[in-house]
């Protein structure tokens, strides 16, 4: 399997989205991530994490964003960029109190993938998550 | 069932409580509709059970919606309980720490029996 992918990143999906596209985009990410080799909880965790990033872009990043899904031999990576104000605060280490609505999205993306990277630039926020692909 | 592209709901009423059955995928695009549904249902059915056995996807916006409804129910002397979370939905509710709040084990046993 790995020889077919090679070491250079291969782009699986590249799409600009608004709120209306969030559900079909999630379905496309599910199909692409499954084809890349994710299964079970790892697949569902990754898809939900991506969904949290696209939702965050819609709600806090100017109402639209761009998703880039790519993989190399060992990793599947999703990058979601928006044009919002961004944040200089790292994802919280602990989930919000259960009785408090809100502020779970980025924490959840971080918790489900073990590595959410936030990068705020002059043009907006880029959020990146990565998961390991099991090599056969 | 009231049907949409992604999700469906059905409300069954009983003398002292009501059961709202949800099915499908719940995300940002359904959260406003679900908020409205809960806001109109809770005043007339303050003891509300939400059956999510057939919910296959649920994200943080829906968890926020459910917590807000749970708070509103308790503020007015009612109660809101989730029952039958399965698969990844159960995993997400557990990870976020809200499973015990929204679906306490004793209430699940009671509602399953009823």
């Amino acid at each position: 399997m790995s020889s077919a992918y090679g070491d250079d990143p291969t782009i699986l999906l590249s799409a600009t989205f608004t709120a209306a596209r969030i559900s079909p985009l999630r379905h496309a990410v599910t199909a692409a991530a499954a084809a890349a080799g994710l299964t079970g909880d790892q697949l569902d965790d990754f898809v939900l994490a991506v969904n949290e990033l696209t939702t965050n872009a819609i709600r806090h990043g100017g109402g639209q964003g761009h998703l880039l899904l790519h993989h190399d031999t060992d990793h599947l990576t999703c990058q979601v960029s928006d044009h919002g104000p961004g944040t200089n605060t790292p994802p919280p280490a602990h989930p919000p109190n259960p009785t408090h609505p809100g502020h779970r999205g980025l924490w959840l993306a971080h918790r489900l993938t073990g590595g959410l990277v936030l990068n705020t630039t002059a043009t907006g926020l880029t959020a990146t998550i990565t998961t390991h692909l099991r090599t056969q | 069932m009231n049907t949409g592209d992604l999700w469906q709901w059905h409300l069954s009423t009983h003398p002292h409580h009501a059961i709202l059955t949800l099915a499908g995928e719940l995300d940002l695009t359904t959260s406003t509709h679900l908020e409205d549904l809960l806001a109109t249902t809770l005043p007339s059915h303050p003891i509300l059970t939400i059956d999510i056995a057939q919910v296959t996807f649920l994200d943080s916006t829906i968890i926020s919606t459910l917590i807000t409804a749970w708070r509103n129910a308790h503020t007015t002397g009612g109660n809101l309980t989730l029952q039958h979370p399965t698969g990844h939905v159960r995993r997400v509710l557990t990870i976020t720490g809200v499973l015990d709040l929204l679906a306490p084990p004793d209430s699940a046993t009671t509602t399953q029996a009823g």
Side-chain angles (χ1 to χ4, degrees):
Chain A
M1 289 292 282
S2 60
S3 61
Y5 294 148
D7 292 323
D8 294 328
T10 301
I11 294 176
L12 301 174
L13 270 177
S14 177
T16 298
F17 60 88
T18 59
R21 292 291 302 164
I22 230 173
S23 313
L25 185 58
R26 182 173 69 248
H27 299 158
V29 168
T30 304
L38 296 192
T39 58
D41 279 343
Q42 192 189 16
L43 172 62
D44 292 338
D45 285 355
F46 188 78
V47 168
L48 177 55
V50 171
N51 180 88
E52 295 298 340
L53 299 188
T54 55
T55 299
N56 191 70
I58 300 287
R59 298 184 73 180
H60 306 295
Q64 68 172 26
H66 186 87
L67 178 146
L68 185 65
L69 180 70
H70 58 89
H71 73 69
D72 58 23
T73 306
D74 301 321
H75 302 92
L76 182 65
T77 300
C78 187
Q79 194 173 69
V80 174
S81 305
D82 65 39
H83 297 292
T87 176
N88 291 316
T89 306
H94 303 288
N97 184 300
T99 60
H100 290 187
H103 303 295
R104 275 183 190 79
L106 293 183
W107 176 84
L108 198 51
H110 182 66
R111 168 65 178 76
L112 291 172
T113 60
L116 168 64
V117 176
L118 300 175
N119 184 28
T120 297
T121 68
T123 59
L125 174 70
T126 297
T128 306
I129 52 173
T130 300
T131 194
H132 283 277
L133 293 169
R134 293 187 185 89
T135 53
Q136 299 295 313
Chain B
M1 281 275 179
N2 292 272
T3 58
D5 287 340
L6 274 181
W7 70 300
Q8 300 85 40
W9 62 270
H10 172 76
L11 182 68
S12 63
T13 59
H14 304 273
H16 303 293
H17 72 289
I19 299 177
L20 177 65
T21 302
L22 302 177
E25 300 175 53
L26 305 176
D27 65 12
L28 177 68
T29 60
T30 54
S31 62
T32 303
H33 193 163
L34 181 60
E35 280 172 24
D36 293 344
L37 179 61
L38 290 169
T40 55
T41 303
L42 277 171
S44 49
H45 305 289
I47 307 297
L48 183 66
T49 300
I50 305 180
D51 192 304
I52 57 171
Q54 299 172 70
V55 173
T56 56
F57 181 86
L58 172 153
D59 71 4
S60 67
T61 61
I62 298 301
I63 291 175
S64 294
T65 299
L66 294 172
I67 291 171
T68 299
W70 179 88
R71 291 166 66 115
N72 290 341
H74 278 254
T75 301
T76 55
N79 193 17
L80 182 148
T81 310
L82 295 185
Q83 70 176 9
H84 305 147
T86 61
H88 196 256
V89 167
R90 185 179 190 88
R91 171 174 165 80
V92 173
L93 293 172
T94 303
I95 286 173
T96 51
V98 302
L99 184 70
D100 288 344
L101 178 80
L102 297 176
D106 54 340
S107 72
T109 303
T110 304
T111 50
Q112 278 172 1

